[in-house]
Amino acid sequence: MNPRRAADSVEAVFREERGRLLATLVRQFGDLDLAEEVASDAVAVALERWPVDGVPTRPAAWLLTAARRRAVDLLRRDKSYAARLAVLQVEADRARPITGVDDADDVPDERLRLFFTCCHPALPLDAQTALTLRCLAGLATPEVARAFLIPPATMAQRIVRAKRKIRDARIPFRVPGADELPERLPGVLRVLYLIFTEGYAASSGPELVRGELADEAIRLARILFRLLPREREVAGLLALLLLVGARRAARTGPDGDLVLLADQDRALWDRDRIEEGRALVVRSLTGGSPGPYGLQAAIAAVHDEAADVATTDWPQVVALYDVLTQVAPSPLVELNRAVAVAMRDGPAAGLTLLDALAGDERLHGYHLLPAARADLLRRLGHRVEAAQAYRDALGLVGNEPERAFLRRRLAEVDQADASDPRLDAAADHPGDRDAEDTQHQVEKVVHNAVAVLGKQPEQSGRDEPEHADHEVHDTEHPDDRADDAVTGAEPDSGHQPAGHQVHDVLGDLDVEHAEQLVAGDEPHHPDQEDDDADDPRVCPDHDGSSPEAGDRVNANSLCRSGRYTSTGGRPADHSEIKNVLRSGQFAATDAVGRPRHG
Amino acid sequence: MKYLLLIYSAQPTEPPPAELMDKIMNEYWAYEKAVADAGVKIASDALQGVETATTVQVADGGERTVTDGPFAETREVLGGYYLIDVPDLDAALDWAARCPGSWYGGKVEVRPIMEFDAP
């Protein structure tokens, strides 16, 4: 194996391991700064010594021991710091039961506490995302800065300020009680979702997709799902990210152009992610009232299972949006619903709904409203109005591929306008509106969705959630592309969209942006972001099939193997880490197979 | 850890009806009792109306300026406080949420007290 890749792979393992180590240390010392410093030191020492000395039999315990020693060293040197920490610890100890687990690889997983600390509502939202990426995804500050296209110094300051508030205001390192969870969990989910959308639909800058960031969000959602397997909205969020993320390879063309849902090559979609996401949707919508993430995921799943836009089950999509508007009302959900209605009943019906939204100031400055209008107007043949709406959208959008797309469309309608001005008047027949949207009952819709999504092949793993759900998809899969032809919704004459043209805005609008308001956030305003910084990263491969991506998945799957439970009491088993660390990745140093206790 | 809960509310243009006033006062008495019973209260007071406020400033040369009213004219005025001692911010936020000062459009600002090392 290429030694460089081996080192990358080991580092990938450590990145997640570091989050775990960090959480344990924060719990013990009550201080995030100290924990970060000694965790990094311990990992650095391990990366240096293990290739030479061999991998210890209990790597996690080795790391923890090394980090603790380092912490004790530091505290000896700084007496007043130590005194302050001692007070902290005594106070914290009063408030918690003694676990007694303090040795070896039976280190309890404390990351859930860290999630709730990093995503504490007392911190500003941008600091929450930054801290989560840094502490739980293991990104270094410059990487976090690059992910959000802001200067490293600004990001460093943001993180320092947040850590200072955690320390000075004493934001605790604790998992909220069952009674507080409904209030606190959505904040954590929102942070993960924002990380994903920033990666998947970058709000500004030259690149449409910053793939690594979207992958980080999925990785974090997996960790959270393992820690809170019974929280249905966590399953819903993971499902949503997988189902939308599955389309990533098809979302940009060879030149980085935006490719909308309608035009995407669905063969490029990641079937493994779709299948995994679909099972999670069913899980999310079963056993209680549906949450916004589960519903969004269900909508994404309906798209993902359709062979193309024409055979997409639009009535189902609209029905799910109907429920979503009840569960989590927001103008952005209304916007998406309007677009889905246009697909079901024709562009005029959608346009009526969009026009009703035009006065909503919460959508002010949001480019997808005029973009959606433009598309419906274009399809109705109102070219002058369409051109104006495209111009409006162009004035608001921040990322370059989306701008390019809107400019192309604008040029098309402008040209058509010049060549055939009669089109504008000829197509002006707003009479075909049929906006009788039957309000589907929530249970009926959800039951229907579960029934549709649940009756898929390859779903047997769902019955053994302890093992199957999140692991099975990382292993080799037989080629299941043949399923494509049958996974789409059944064509139904009543379901055919009225428009016959390609529906441009839909794919983008329909799923990928909706959650921002569902999650209580404002739409992205392009001018709020620093777009002066060039993102130096390139994301050449998004299909997860390259050797590097494969390695990454392997490394992740190690930490995904069900060792972590929400009870925290189950013994951890690090034998898999050992196996990977021993499996030839250190071959270059010829030191494999001489395990040594740390 | 000590936190100061600062109770802010809009200055009422007219006094609330007696019924509502009684209700609010009873809620405050219940809250007083709750913080005392939990052993977290260090001090608490309600302030007289902002129209009774006087602001003092002493210039570098020692010249004293006294002006009528609060130093900052804002719509929301400080009406009272609780000083509590609780383990962490979550506990302080819980007490803030239970305080009637955070209801009816009012707000409670939670500020940790700065601790100094003994000289």
Side-chain angles (χ1 to χ4, degrees):
Chain A
M1 182 184 272
N2 178 330
R4 169 78 193 130
R5 286 239 323 270
D8 284 351
S9 169
V10 171
E11 273 181 25
V13 174
F14 273 126
R15 270 197 359 175
E16 179 148 342
E17 203 50 44
R18 187 179 172 281
R20 238 192 128 187
L21 180 64
L22 186 64
T24 310
L25 291 164
V26 180
R27 173 116 199 255
Q28 180 168 13
F29 294 103
D31 188 278
L32 188 52
D33 270 329
L34 178 69
E36 278 200 306
E37 185 175 344
V38 299
S40 297
D41 287 352
V43 170
V45 172
L47 281 171
E48 198 177 292
R49 282 182 46 189
W50 293 4
V52 180
D53 297 346
V55 178
T57 49
R58 297 183 303 185
W62 191 101
L63 285 169
L64 186 56
T65 305
R68 278 177 178 157
R69 263 189 216 132
R70 177 90 184 116
V72 170
D73 276 355
L74 287 175
L75 292 175
R76 269 200 201 110
R77 267 182 255 152
D78 188 343
K79 289 278 185 336
S80 67
Y81 191 45
R84 197 174 65 78
L85 284 189
V87 172
L88 270 174
Q89 268 178 272
V90 170
E91 290 194 0
D93 280 340
R94 281 191 317 202
R96 72 183 174 217
I98 291 156
T99 58
V101 184
D102 192 34
D103 182 43
D105 281 16
D106 299 346
V107 180
D109 193 336
E110 306 283 15
R111 281 178 299 179
L112 195 53
R113 294 165 190 275
L114 199 50
F115 266 110
F116 280 102
T117 304
C118 291
C119 302
H120 199 282
L123 297 171
L125 192 57
D126 54 10
Q128 293 178 33
T129 53
L131 273 183
T132 302
L133 281 170
R134 189 179 145 117
C135 296
L136 285 149
L139 264 59
T141 298
E143 291 177 292
V144 181
R146 209 157 53 221
F148 287 94
L149 303 179
I150 69 168
T154 310
M155 183 54 82
Q157 197 182 31
R158 190 178 287 176
I159 288 173
V160 165
R161 212 176 276 147
K163 287 203 289 193
R164 198 177 291 150
K165 182 164 186 188
I166 290 174
R167 190 188 63 208
D168 293 345
R170 203 177 293 173
I171 292 176
F173 185 60
R174 64 186 271 273
V175 178
D179 55 328
E180 301 166 81
L181 216 49
E183 204 174 294
R184 292 285 309 277
L185 188 56
V188 178
L189 299 178
R190 176 165 73 151
V191 164
L192 301 192
Y193 190 82
L194 288 179
I195 292 170
F196 180 83
T197 48
E198 191 54 37
Y200 193 80
S203 58
S204 62
E207 259 176 286
L208 183 68
V209 174
R210 294 198 290 277
E212 289 93 339
L213 200 54
D215 283 344
E216 288 304 340
I218 290 176
R219 211 162 63 83
L220 288 165
R222 279 188 201 284
I223 296 172
L224 193 64
F225 176 62
R226 279 200 308 277
L227 294 167
L228 291 170
R230 274 189 249 282
E231 289 297 324
R232 290 179 301 109
E233 275 288 87
V234 179
L237 175 73
L238 178 55
L240 178 63
L241 303 193
L242 287 165
L243 289 163
V244 174
R247 305 181 201 137
R248 199 175 69 197
R251 191 166 182 265
T252 43
D255 307 324
D257 296 348
L258 173 66
V259 182
L260 290 160
L261 185 60
D263 304 325
Q264 287 176 10
D265 177 359
R266 297 183 179 214
L268 294 176
W269 289 1
D270 185 332
R271 306 308 307 178
D272 292 348
R273 280 188 168 179
I274 291 172
E275 287 310 315
E276 185 183 5
R278 206 213 296 271
L280 286 163
V281 171
V282 172
R283 189 174 168 138
S284 171
L285 295 182
T286 307
S289 55
Y293 290 105
L295 289 167
Q296 290 271 309
I299 292 165
V302 174
H303 287 302
D304 282 3
E305 72 177 7
D308 54 42
V309 166
T311 56
T312 299
D313 188 350
W314 292 108
Q316 172 82 309
V317 172
V318 174
L320 286 165
Y321 273 123
D322 287 343
V323 176
L324 191 57
T325 54
Q326 291 170 37
V327 172
S330 98
L332 198 43
V333 173
E334 298 284 351
L335 174 55
N336 281 301
R337 184 176 168 279
V339 176
V341 168
M343 294 304 295
R344 189 189 63 178
D345 303 334
L351 198 57
T352 307
L353 294 174
L354 281 187
D355 287 343
L357 282 171
D360 195 317
E361 62 182 25
R362 286 170 297 178
L363 287 175
H364 182 74
Y366 190 49
H367 71 279
L368 287 178
L369 178 58
R373 277 196 84 236
D375 185 56
L376 297 185
L377 288 164
R378 185 180 62 81
R379 282 156 53 189
L380 286 168
H382 300 236
R383 294 178 192 275
V384 175
E385 283 178 85
Q388 185 52 50
Y390 277 123
R391 284 192 191 94
D392 292 346
L394 267 169
L396 298 168
V397 66
N399 86 45
E400 194 45 49
E402 283 193 68
R403 294 183 62 80
F405 169 80
L406 290 168
R407 275 197 295 267
R408 281 201 305 277
R409 278 280 174 254
L410 175 59
E412 282 169 30
V413 290
D414 269 350
Q415 215 167 21
D417 183 38
S419 61
D420 188 0
R422 286 168 305 161
L423 274 173
D424 193 27
D428 193 13
H429 51 86
D432 63 353
R433 177 169 179 254
D434 175 19
E436 280 188 1
D437 302 319
T438 40
Q439 274 289 336
H440 295 247
Q441 218 201 339
V442 171
E443 293 93 42
K444 196 177 145 204
V445 172
V446 170
H447 182 266
N448 191 19
V450 167
V452 171
L453 296 170
K455 66 165 185 197
Q456 291 301 319
E458 282 204 354
Q459 297 291 306
S460 55
R462 256 187 312 128
D463 297 326
E464 305 112 57
E466 286 308 311
H467 299 293
D469 272 359
H470 38 263
E471 271 202 70
V472 82
H473 303 289
D474 289 328
T475 53
E476 293 291 316
H477 265 248
D479 183 23
D480 53 1
R481 292 283 152 74
D483 286 349
D484 272 13
V486 293
T487 49
E490 289 167 33
D492 173 326
S493 60
H495 295 183
Q496 293 297 334
H500 56 277
Q501 295 196 20
V502 173
H503 310 289
D504 301 301
V505 179
L506 180 78
D508 228 29
L509 182 62
D510 191 35
V511 183
E512 293 154 15
H513 291 263
E515 187 64 22
Q516 291 167 26
L517 276 193
V518 172
D521 198 36
E522 296 295 314
H524 274 300
H525 290 247
D527 52 355
Q528 285 174 350
E529 303 282 335
D530 286 352
D531 50 6
D532 54 342
D534 285 331
D535 187 343
R537 289 203 294 193
V538 285
C539 308
D541 108 74
H542 297 138
D543 62 6
S545 66
S546 77
E548 267 148 328
D551 261 10
R552 176 72 169 282
V553 168
N554 265 340
N556 288 344
S557 70
L558 280 179
C559 305
R560 194 181 300 160
S561 52
R563 285 174 292 139
Y564 309 126
T565 66
S566 60
T567 64
R570 193 164 126 197
D573 171 13
H574 282 76
S575 58
E576 287 174 34
I577 290 191
K578 278 182 298 190
N579 289 341
V580 158
L581 291 173
R582 283 180 189 146
S583 65
Q585 290 167 356
F586 288 125
T589 64
D590 200 27
V592 185
R594 287 190 282 122
R596 178 175 175 280
H597 291 267
Chain B
M1 177 117 178
K2 298 189 189 88
Y3 296 86
L4 188 62
L5 312 187
L6 296 152
I7 299 166
Y8 286 90
S9 58
Q11 181 83 326
T13 46
E14 55 191 65
E19 258 174 53
L20 181 60
M21 201 60 209
D22 281 354
K23 182 169 176 287
I24 293 173
M25 283 316 292
N26 285 333
E27 284 162 353
Y28 263 110
W29 294 130
Y31 183 68
E32 275 285 344
K33 184 168 171 356
V35 284
D37 289 352
V40 299
K41 190 182 111 166
I42 298 170
S44 74
D45 281 297
L47 305 182
Q48 292 197 40
V50 74
E51 67 281 356
T52 65
T54 311
T55 300
V56 178
Q57 185 174 30
V58 179
D60 289 346
E63 188 190 353
R64 177 200 290 192
T65 313
V66 175
T67 44
D68 170 51
F71 84 93
E73 292 290 345
T74 54
R75 208 178 62 81
E76 285 171 329
V77 298
L78 182 62
Y81 72 92
Y82 282 82
L83 181 62
I84 59 173
D85 189 358
V86 291
D88 56 41
L89 184 66
D90 278 1
L93 298 179
D94 283 347
W95 282 112
R98 288 178 63 177
C99 177
S102 63
W103 312 344
Y104 311 115
K107 292 181 181 118
V108 173
E109 180 176 324
V110 179
R111 294 283 291 270
I113 299 293
M114 195 181 276
E115 311 267 5
F116 293 97
D117 293 334

